[in-house]
Amino acid sequence: MLQVQNVAKAFGTQDVLRGVSLRVSRGEVVAIIGRSGSGKSTLLRCINHLETIDSGSIIIGGEAMAQSDASGRAVYKKDAELRRICLKMGLVFQDYNLFPHYSVLKNLVMPQVMVLGRSRAQAKEKALALLEKVGLADKADEYPCNLSGGQCQRVAIARALAMDPEILCFDEPTSALDPQLTHEVLSVIRQLADEQRTMIVVTHEMNFARDVADRVIYMEDGVIVEDGPAQQVLGSERSAAVRAFVGESGY
Amino acid sequence: MKYFNNPEAFIRLVLSMQDGMTATLTIFALTLVFSIPLGMVIALLRMSKHRVVSAPISLYILVMRGTPLMLQLFAVYFAIPMFFGVNLDRMTATILAFSLNYAAYFAEIFRGGIMSIPVGQYEASSVLGFTPVQTFFHIVLPQVVKRVLLPVSNEVITLVKDTSLANIIAVSELFRAAKNEASRVASVEPLFVAGLFYLLMNGAVTLFFSWLNNRFAYYKD
């Protein structure tokens, strides 16, 4: 479903990703953990084309978004095709990034209409079904400024789902929320995991990573240090590096 | 007092300044029609990553905001015929000079508004598959409009009063009409009547902007 091969990225002289390779298969839920600055968010942003990689390849559903040429430099597809390939990915942000001037319903409808060319009726039907799913059907006509953080994040998840992505990514989806609201967002993500959706979740919630993810990836200094089944990476047999990190995060 | 205590004379005075009022309203309206879109284009060019584009635009804004509008009026009215051999009538020269000047101010207001939109709005648009043009017109611009209403209303109010500058290249606008009347009847009262008219116009402008502000109050950002 997703193949990341030997990806490197630097901001100026600072290497943020140093040869990251990773595969995600259909239906898999992968959690990425690590300290701030380990490159986990940058990796997620590269996969969603919010950052460009310097070298390596990113292949989504068999189509290369970026592929390294003979010299190793990453070459991206042209605009329209790139946008089409990127639509296979969905991303939920830490701070939601809902469109404040659109109602909740319009946040879900407009992208479907403008990007996928769905009719308004079709888009609205889909949007209402998704709002129902995240428990916010009664908020369809509200504006994001009148919702709580947890509600905003659930709208953002519904908005991402409305575009029918093949892989849904989350960039620290609960870091801006207090524990009560964190719970309501995580239970939505858990529900999606039960439906066998392919997901990549960058998170600080260790319990969530252990319980929901099929696989956990631990990153440090721009490389993947551990990659394995959740029980193995976070279980009692965990490595010294993960032990140290998990110890710091109080899990 | 000749006018303020004599309604009949007052009305006759107002009627005699009718053409001036029409000219003032024409300068005002056409300047807005041209300078607001032009200001948006200048704002976008000013934000270009290419120095070849942004540097001359910066210079343009510096000159337009850094020299008196009165001087710019003279420059457009006298210099353009001199260098380009085309004669501009007074009204055209006025509207051209005002539009070029106000576009520079609007451009900086719009630039500030555009830069105040959080980068997350662009990122969300990009991830959802919007093209840059769709992102600008559907996501960024509507939010910018709400954010620039207050500074724009300031400029529009200033413009109402600045139209009186056109009298220095002898455009028969309201202030010139009032001045002529004042010297004919040897009284300053017509000037105050003109002042009343500017005040009324700005009252209307203020009402219009508070109505617009209310229309955008349906969300907070």
Side-chain angles (χ1 to χ4, degrees):
Chain A
M1 183 94 269
L2 171 72
Q3 270 183 59
V4 175
Q5 287 165 350
N6 212 16
V7 162
K9 156 124 197 117
F11 289 121
T13 56
Q14 202 196 344
D15 293 325
V16 192
L17 296 176
R18 300 182 297 145
V20 172
S21 297
L22 140 90
R23 255 169 196 281
V24 178
S25 344
R26 187 177 295 276
E28 217 176 4
V29 178
V30 177
I32 305 180
I33 57 171
R35 292 183 185 84
S36 310
S38 59
K40 55 190 193 310
S41 282
T42 306
L43 175 61
L44 202 66
R45 290 169 60 82
C46 287
I47 295 170
N48 283 279
H49 195 235
L50 291 175
E51 307 281 355
T52 51
I53 58 175
D54 301 332
S55 64
S57 308
I58 297 175
I59 301 158
I60 304 165
E63 289 187 287
M65 165 175 132
Q67 195 144 34
S68 48
D69 62 8
S71 67
R73 264 205 12 219
V75 181
Y76 276 86
K77 285 273 160 56
K78 293 273 169 278
D79 284 358
E81 201 178 0
L82 185 59
R83 228 185 325 273
R84 185 181 59 75
I85 296 172
C86 288
L87 274 177
K88 297 180 184 182
M89 309 293 301
L91 176 62
V92 174
F93 298 86
Q94 180 178 337
D95 41 11
Y96 340 125
N97 293 334
L98 295 177
F99 302 129
H101 59 306
Y102 286 167
S103 67
V104 164
L105 185 65
K106 215 170 164 192
N107 262 279
L108 272 67
V109 167
M110 288 306 275
Q112 296 183 64
V113 171
M114 288 198 305
V115 177
L116 301 177
R118 289 180 184 151
S119 72
R120 260 166 211 276
Q122 220 180 348
K124 192 176 168 189
E125 191 182 342
K126 173 127 198 157
L128 289 172
L130 285 166
L131 287 174
E132 182 79 54
K133 184 190 182 94
V134 299
L136 292 171
D138 56 328
K139 302 287 184 191
D141 295 323
E142 288 284 353
Y143 282 83
C145 58
N146 298 324
L147 302 185
S148 73
Q151 292 171 331
C152 281
Q153 194 58 297
R154 280 145 67 201
V155 172
I157 293 170
R159 183 177 67 174
L161 288 172
M163 304 300 282
D164 291 323
E166 294 182 20
I167 305 176
L168 188 55
C169 302
F170 297 82
D171 189 6
E172 303 189 17
T174 59
S175 295
L177 304 173
D178 63 35
Q180 180 55 39
L181 301 179
T182 295
H183 175 75
E184 65 181 52
V185 169
L186 290 184
S187 65
V188 169
I189 302 177
R190 201 181 296 259
Q191 186 192 338
L192 296 174
D194 292 342
E195 294 168 6
Q196 308 297 312
R197 272 191 181 273
T198 315
M199 296 194 286
I200 305 174
V201 187
V202 167
T203 185
H204 287 298
E205 297 284 331
M206 292 305 149
N207 286 316
F208 173 76
R210 192 200 51 207
D211 297 346
V212 177
D214 301 307
R215 240 167 84 205
V216 172
I217 288 175
Y218 172 66
M219 286 185 73
E220 209 172 83
D221 295 328
V223 290
I224 291 178
V225 178
E226 294 280 330
D227 180 351
Q231 288 307 327
Q232 184 190 313
V233 175
L234 289 173
S236 53
E237 304 285 290
R238 56 186 180 238
S239 67
V242 172
R243 198 179 309 256
F245 166 67
V246 165
E248 287 164 27
S249 57
Y251 157 65
Chain B
M1 291 225 278
K2 286 193 169 79
Y3 299 100
F4 282 102
N5 55 359
N6 182 345
E8 204 181 317
F10 186 87
I11 289 165
R12 237 182 298 124
L13 172 67
V14 169
L15 289 177
S16 76
M17 297 197 301
Q18 228 178 5
D19 289 349
M21 289 176 189
T22 310
T24 290
L25 284 170
T26 307
I27 298 169
F28 172 77
L30 290 181
T31 298
L32 287 182
V33 166
F34 295 123
S35 63
I36 287 178
L38 184 60
M40 185 50 81
V41 172
I42 293 172
L44 293 174
L45 293 176
R46 172 68 184 76
M47 289 191 294
S48 167
K49 277 175 282 192
H50 306 286
R51 292 269 308 153
V52 251
V53 179
S54 65
I57 294 294
S58 297
L59 182 66
Y60 172 84
I61 292 172
L62 177 67
V63 171
M64 285 298 158
R65 296 199 305 171
T67 59
L69 177 51
M70 196 185 276
L71 177 63
Q72 292 167 20
L73 270 168
F74 279 127
V76 170
Y77 185 56
F78 295 110
I80 286 186
M82 220 150 64
F83 290 110
F84 298 97
V86 282
N87 270 317
L88 293 179
D89 70 69
R90 297 168 200 281
M91 198 59 169
T92 311
T94 302
I95 289 159
L96 183 59
F98 271 74
S99 298
L100 293 175
N101 178 277
Y102 271 78
Y105 284 95
F106 283 133
E108 287 296 85
I109 292 172
F110 297 156
R111 187 164 72 98
I114 292 169
M115 290 195 312
S116 76
I117 301 300
V119 67
Q121 294 289 303
Y122 292 92
E123 293 189 342
S125 307
S126 157
V127 167
L128 291 167
F130 290 2
T131 63
V133 173
Q134 286 176 326
T135 303
F136 181 75
F137 284 104
H138 292 275
I139 305 303
V140 177
L141 193 57
Q143 296 185 57
V144 167
V145 172
K146 178 178 167 91
R147 291 181 182 211
V148 301
L149 278 181
L150 238 53
V152 165
S153 73
N154 256 341
E155 284 308 312
V156 175
I157 283 172
T158 305
L159 174 61
V160 168
K161 296 171 290 175
D162 273 358
T163 54
S164 62
L165 286 172
N167 91 84
I168 59 130
I169 56 168
V171 175
S172 312
E173 44 68 59
L174 177 63
F175 198 75
R176 189 176 185 84
K179 243 170 51 176
N180 289 344
E181 198 59 24
S183 52
R184 196 178 65 82
V185 299
S187 157
V188 291
E189 273 181 75
L191 294 179
F192 287 101
V193 174
L196 206 58
F197 181 78
Y198 290 112
L199 190 63
L200 276 175
M201 238 180 113
N202 272 331
V205 168
T206 304
L207 280 177
F208 172 73
F209 273 95
S210 69
W211 170 79
L212 211 52
N213 218 27
N214 282 335
R215 278 210 45 176
F216 277 92
Y218 66 89
Y219 78 93
K220 290 192 287 285
D221 54 8

